[in-house]
Structure formats: C-alpha cells, structure tokens
Amino acid sequence: MQKVLLIKLRLGKFPLLTFSSRLYLLRYELEASDFRKLFFFIFVATMNKYVDVILPLPLPKCFTYVLPDEFAEEVKIGCRVIVPFGRKKYYTAIVRNVHFSAPREYEVKEISALLDASPILLPTQFKFWEWIADYYLCTQGDVYKAALPSGLKLESETIVEYNPDFEADAPLSEREQKILDLLSVDPQQCVTKLEKESELKNILSVVKSLLDKEAIFVKEELRRTYKPKTEARVRLAGVADERRLHILFDILSRAPKQLALLMKYVECSSVLGREKPKEVSKKELLQQAGVSPAILNGLVEKKIFEIYYREIGRLNREVNIAGELNPLNEFQQRAHDEIKQCFQEKNVCLLHGVTSSGKTEIYIHLIEETIRQGKQVLYLLPEIALTTQITERLQRVFGSRIGIYHSKFPDAERVEIWQKQLGEKGYDIILGVRSSIFLPFRNLGLVIVDEEHENTYKQQDPAPRYHARSAAIVLATMYGAKTLLGTATPSIETWQNAMLGKFGFVQLKERYKEIQLPEIIPVDIKELHRKKRMVGQFSPLLIQYMKEALEQKEQVILFQNRRGFAPMVECRTCGWVPKCKNCDVSLTYHKGINQLTCHYCGYTYQLPKACPACEGTELVNRGFGTEKIEDDIKVIFPEAAVARMDLDTTRTRSAYEKIIADFEQGKTDILIGTQMVSKGLDFDHVSVVGILNADTMLNYPDFRSYERAFQLMAQVAGRAGRKNKRGRVVLQTKSIDHPIIYQVIGNNYEEMVNGQLAERQMFHYPPYYRLIYVYLKNHNESLLDQMATVMADKLRTVFGNRVLGPDKPPVARIQTLFIKKIVVKIEQNAPMGRARELLLRIQREMLEDERYKSLIIYYDMDPM
C-alpha cells in the first residue's frame, strides 16, 4: 500500500513529463520485481474508461463515450449522463456498460455531465427493457422514452439570443420586429416562449431570417425539467440555550410583534425541551403567530433568525389510518383459496368472475398476504378513471403504503414516485395504468391485471407497441412473482391459455349478496325508425325506464362509443363532407367549441356557414356522439343533472375525479359516456343502463369486432343494479337477430368464445397464429405503393403464403403520411426468435436502399 501511495505521489510530482519519463524516475525508487508487479496497476490506472449508453432515440445499438477523469470513479451502470450527439444536440443517456475498449468505427466523444450519484435503473429493469425491445421489434431507445418520466430527462432546447451590435441595412418585417422587441426586454429566450408571447405562427421561419441577418444568435442549452420541491424553514441563528433566549426576550421587549413571533417559534420548535429542535416551516410560523412576513424579515436582519430550505416531496404525505379487511363471503373465500392453490403450481391464474361478484375484495386479501411477506404488489388498471374509485378502497385498508402512477399526475410527482421506488422504503403497492410496469421494484411478489381483456392495455403509438398484460407476466416471472388476471369477459387468448392448462383457472359465478344479473331488453330501432317512433336516439321504452328511475331517485348510465356532437357534417344539396387536410377521415363536429376536429391529428376547422362546393346553406349532422346525446337528454329531462365522461371532458386528473365523485354522491342523475363508463366502475344506485347503438361495435372491419362487442356490452350492462336491486339494460340495435345480441342477453360467454375459436382456427388468427402487422408510411403515395410491393415480395420469399397484402388500412393517411399495411401470420409453435431476426433483416435491407431512404417502416407485434 505504501509503494502504491509512493507511485501516486511521484507521478503527481512531475505532471509535465511524459508517462514513460515519469516511470523512468520511479525505477530508482523501486526494485525491479516490484516494478514489474506494479506496472500493470499503473497502466490500468492511466487507461481511458468508456461507457456504452442508451440514448432516447430509435437507434439499433448503444453508443460509446469516453469518461472524463472526474467521473471515472463515480459512474455506475444505471446512472444518467449528459452526452453530445450530432452537431449541436445534447441528450440524457443511461449508462449500460463501463469498460476500457474504445470503438473503432467512429470518433469517441466525451461525456458532458454525470447526473446521478446512484443508479436510477435496477438490473432487472435492463433485462426487462431488452425483452420488450426484442419481442416488440423496436429499440431500447424507444423503450427508454416510454419508460422514464420526462422529468428525469434533460432536453436540448433552442435558445435565441439577441445580438446587441446588430444594425439593420433595410427595414425589418413586422414579424421580425416583434421578435426583436421581445428579445430587447429579455435577451435570451427559448423558441417555445417566444412563440407563446409573440402569438406568431410558423415562428421558426422568422427566427431563420433574423439569424441570416445576424440580428440574433441561437445556441443549444440543457433544460432541467424536474426541480425538487423545497420549503422555507426558520431556525434560530447561533446557540439556542435558555440564557441566550432570555437576552433576546429583553432586546425585543419594545417590539411586541417580533417578540410574539420569537415566542411562537420557541413553542413550535420545542427548542428548550429537545436536544435537536423540531423544524418549523416559515408559512406555518407566520400563520400561527398571525404576523406579516415583514416582521420575520426584521428578525432575520437582526441575525436572530435565519431562513433555510428543505427539500420536500410532492406526494401525498397524509397517513391514512389502515382499516380492517372486509370478510370474504363463501363464494369469494372459495375463489381466493383456489387462486392460492393455483399459484403453488402455476405462475399465472385467470379469475373469471361475473360483474359485481366482488373480485376487488379478493384482490385486497391477496395484496395483504403478499405485503405481509415483505413483498411488493403491482395493481394494473386499464383506465385512469378507475384509479379514483379503487384508490379510496385500497387506502381504507393500506393507508399510505399505496402509490398511484399515471399520466394525469404532474410529471414532478411521477419522478418522486420513481425515486421513492429506488429506495429501501418504496411503496408496498403501486396502482396504475400500463406505464406502471416500467417502475423500479425491489421485491415484486404479485401482479394483478384487472379487466385484463381491455384493449387499452396495448400501446398503439409510438413504439414500443407493447401489451401491458403480456409484459406484466414476463416482468413478474423475472422477479419470481405471481400474476393474477381478473375479468368478467376474458380475452379469447387468455381463455385459451387457461383452458389448455398454461394458466390456472378460477371461476366466480355469483354476484355479491347474490343480486341477480341485470335484465337485458333488446330493442329493434330499425323498425322504430321506420315507424317514426324514435325520440332522437332514444326508443320509447328507454325513455319510460329512465323516467321511472329518475322518479325513484335512481341513476342512469347511457353508453355511446363515439365522442363529439356528430361524426360527420354533410351538405344536403351536393353531398360535400368536410375532411381533414392531413388525414383520410371526415371531421367530427364539436358543438361546445363550434368546431370541426380531426380525432387523429387534432386539426381543427371552423364550421362554414355555407357549403364551399355549391354554396348551399343546408349543412346537416350525420350520426351522433356523446355531446349530441347530452344535448338531447337535457331537452327530454330538463330537471335532471346530466354529466358526460369522454376524452373531451376528462383532460385532467381532477376532471375524472369530479365526474365520478358527483355521480357517486348522487349529484348527477344521468351519466353519458364512451367505453370509459364500461370499465369496472362501481355505483350503488344505477338501475338503468342504455346501450344506444350496438351496431357501431358489430360492424367494424376487424376479426376481433364480435369479441369486443360482447365484452363492451356485457361490461356496460354490469354497471346496472349492483347492490340494491336487479337492474335493467336497454340494448338498442338495428341487428336484432345477430347471435352476439342473444349471447349478451344470456350472458353466454362460452358460446361466443367457441364460435369465435372455430372461425379463427379456420382463417389462421390468434390464438392459433401470431399476427405481425408491418406498417409502411411515406408522404409520396405512388412511391409508397412501389416500396410496399417490394417489401411484401421480400417477406414472401422468407415467409411464403403467411404474408397478406400490401393493403390500405381503414384510415389510409394520417398526419400527411400515406399508409400501407402488410399482415404476417406465424404459427404458435414456430420459432419466433428466428422470425424476428428475418423481419429486422428485411427492414434493414429496405432502408439501406437509396431509393427507399424516406420510407418509415415499423412492426406491430400482437396487434389489437
């Protein structure tokens, strides 16, 4: 150890000498044998250290950077680093590996900053990321972007800086002058801020012209999106003993308000009774003393008090008193015991329980048993709206041991949940939507996937296009945890896995308190329309039942799986229909904002007063959405309190909570909603449910449309008559003889599944085959057609007749990009690893061809 220290001292003594010259000096102080032993140590100590990092970009591999000496000993796998990439951009990257090998393919850049003292990603998370990237045919950069809250990423943002030496040679345009006027007030501003303050559209063109004239400079700066929340605290300056306090009381005897503040501090901090006084917040002290901040500032100036800041969390710190578990009834207890038995033999179990059978109560008992063993639980829900109800039920039992994680929470709160989960005192239970699978867990013991059939568990865009149910099963396996899938209407794939013995299977056929399933009454609206007996979109029977329910102070839910006022506006004279300029869809009319909106790209268009094609003034609405239903109901039942729950009314977390809370408390009589209202919400006083048009679900061009229609109708029907009495469901349809209608009425799930399985086996669909959709996109339609044909031919040479297409999808242009789709069907027993290799190879071949460089290609594995 002494000799090693000597080497460090001697090397440090001659910093300007070459490495070999410094070694030569050391030869005189060490014996030859010692020198040989220690040469390797010196060589390694002076080698450069490199890190492989994952960038938040769709890159097929990691990139290598050299570590500066100041970070060499501190950096760890899983830490975040700032790296330069490209000419001017900076990104937050995750360290994947630390080594001593420099890459030969490119010039190595240096890391700019190390952000973490300890890793923010655990080893199991890396393994999980690799599985998602491999299975869903995307990159780890795609997974990184989806997994981390944006507050854990530093972003490179363009900063515009005013040039004080600029002199104009010619008059500036009005737009250019407006930008310079703003910069003269604040010389450095980011583009987004300038755009907001100037209210100019296409501001980048103005910035470019000013840049060309050298009126401004631009630079890239790192912006930290997450800042820890701090709180101002007050403490006594200097020693806080009894003698000093008496002196201070004497000094302040002529300043009664300052004296009162000091005495209140002594009371709040218990400064005399404790070795270490309690911390006192500035806000709390001023409130309790009833004085203004100026009084406190006066004491700070006199060096009696000092202000300091303490980091505090944004998370709810109220510790709810944990309540007792509700006892399970006979049927629930039997299901609970069967699940425990299944878990002894299998890692995954399906709980098939009818609506309102009390599945959540079984979950709560299983959660309690898991956390008693010192393990964590992940409870997944398909919809944010559900978390508000389930949270209250779980908090009554588990108090503050539960953390909630979803996108409606502020980003800073999600960052703090992530950081809390990294520590030894993470939440015992995480309740959240699909993105919760990416959170760090130290000791995961149980994963519950509630309403496992829901298609909202599948991420559509952007990549990774993962299914949270499948990913959760893999995640649980990595931790040696168990997975419980719960639903009244299982997905056909899950049902098949349970029937084949791959998953455990438990049934719960009795509703809680043995309440009967609702009476479902089909109504032929085609015939009623013909006889002109419909009142808007409502049959006379539905109106009669709604009227009876409202008279008895009961509640009503109306289901229409389409938002907006009217899906289409049409000119009665010439048939003109307003279409989106970016997408191949008609615009939906929203009456509340009096605008036509595209539900794919967000493009808005003011409703014209006359038809632009023929100048006719008869523009009529075709079809109806939730907004139109709300308008009509207010006319029919003017005294009723009506609320609407769809994407337009639930933009924020508080909006969800208010709509549900008002309905629970009886402040709302009629709730109108899209499929949000179908997903496991539990209301005590709903006696009537109206399904306004079942045909929109049945007539969708998808092999899963019958399965989905059954699931949606059965789930919506399950909201009726849940606790007090048997409910009624009015099912309005133009296809009264359709088999699905009678299967829903009889709650005959198995008949629906058996029919669908026979069809799917015949036509090579899941669960007998795996589906992979290949999407190709381009701005040039004719070039896209050519590229799609070439790619389909390449796929056929490898996969043969398993390839279908290329074809246009139902919406063939979105956000100005034309789309083509190729379908690949692969047998369940085929080696999927090899299939994925071939698909990625063909994608690379296409993109390496100069003609197809503008092509966008991606795969959707197990599409929904």
Side-chain angles (χ1 to χ4, degrees), residues 77 270 314 379 464 479 603 778:
I77 292 171
S270 308
R314 292 173 171 82
Y379 189 146
Y479 281 96
Y603 169 74
N778 200 277

Side-chain angles (χ1 to χ4, degrees), residues 185-352:
V185 178
D186 183 359
Q188 286 191 16
Q189 293 187 48
C190 66
V191 168
T192 45
K193 187 181 174 187
L194 275 174
E195 193 168 31
K196 189 178 177 182
E197 292 190 0
S198 66
E199 297 178 351
L200 294 176
K201 290 183 179 176
N202 194 15
I203 194 173
L204 285 176
S205 61
V206 187
V207 169
K208 186 179 181 300
S209 75
L210 287 170
L211 191 62
D212 293 341
K213 293 171 182 170
E214 297 186 353
I216 58 169
F217 307 119
V218 297
K219 60 179 180 177
E220 295 295 308
E221 277 192 2
L222 291 170
R223 176 170 61 90
R224 190 179 289 273
T225 56
Y226 167 71
K227 288 180 183 174
K229 187 177 181 182
T230 57
E231 183 181 67
R233 306 270 170 99
V234 180
R235 64 185 168 208
L236 274 174
V239 183
D241 57 22
E242 196 171 341
R243 183 172 170 276
R244 181 163 181 263
L245 281 171
H246 280 299
I247 294 167
L248 291 175
F249 290 153
D250 288 340
I251 292 168
L252 298 175
S253 58
R254 292 187 179 180
K257 288 186 178 178
Q258 290 185 344
L259 179 61
L261 187 60
L262 177 60
M263 291 178 79
K264 182 54 72 176
Y265 170 80
V266 171
E267 181 190 324
C268 291
S269 65
S270 308
V271 69
L272 293 176
R274 291 176 177 228
E275 192 176 318
K276 189 179 179 184
K278 264 174 69 180
E279 292 194 329
V280 180
S281 80
K282 177 182 170 182
K283 185 179 177 183
E284 181 192 347
L285 181 62
L286 291 173
Q287 277 178 351
Q288 293 206 18
V291 297
S292 68
I295 305 297
L296 176 60
N297 294 340
L299 288 171
V300 172
E301 285 168 17
K302 290 177 179 178
K303 302 277 193 293
I304 293 172
F305 277 149
E306 58 186 24
I307 308 287
Y308 66 103
Y309 290 87
R310 178 76 72 208
E311 185 179 328
I312 58 165
R314 292 173 171 82
L315 307 177
N316 184 4
R317 290 170 164 258
E318 290 177 21
V319 179
N320 298 299
I321 298 165
E324 291 294 317
L325 288 171
N326 293 327
L328 299 176
N329 66 24
E330 175 197 344
F331 309 111
Q332 290 170 326
Q333 189 63 52
R334 190 188 309 145
H336 169 274
D337 296 342
E338 286 176 17
I339 291 165
K340 298 282 285 180
Q341 186 66 38
C342 284
F343 281 157
Q344 289 178 13
E345 300 165 20
K346 295 183 170 68
N347 288 328
V348 185
C349 178
L350 168 63
L351 172 60
H352 179 213

Side-chain angles (χ1 to χ4, degrees), residues 358-372:
K359 294 186 290 293
T360 308
E361 211 57 56
I362 296 172
Y363 300 157
I364 289 170
H365 279 254
L366 291 167
I367 290 167
E368 195 274 333
E369 289 158 20
T370 305
I371 62 177
R372 211 188 316 136

Side-chain angles (χ1 to χ4, degrees), residues 133 170 179 191 282 312 343 432 453 456 462 465 495 511 519 605 620 629 666 678 699 743 774 824:
I179 297 296
V191 168
K282 177 182 170 182
I312 58 165
F343 281 157
H453 65 277
T456 45
R465 295 170 181 86
W495 177 267
R511 278 187 138 195
E519 178 192 7
Y605 176 70
V620 293
I629 300 301
S678 73
N699 301 327
Q743 287 161 1
V774 186
V824 182

Side-chain angles (χ1 to χ4, degrees), residues 17 52 105 151 288 307 469 472 533 563 636 655 723 829 831:
L17 293 177
D52 298 333
E105 304 89 34
Q288 293 206 18
I307 308 287
R469 178 191 61 217
R533 290 186 56 205
R563 64 190 171 104
I636 299 168
K723 285 188 182 167
N829 56 0

Side-chain angles (χ1 to χ4, degrees), residues 126-138:
F126 278 120
K127 193 177 164 188
F128 185 52
W129 284 20
E130 284 165 10
W131 177 83
I132 285 188
D134 179 55
Y135 186 83
Y136 290 103
L137 296 163
C138 63

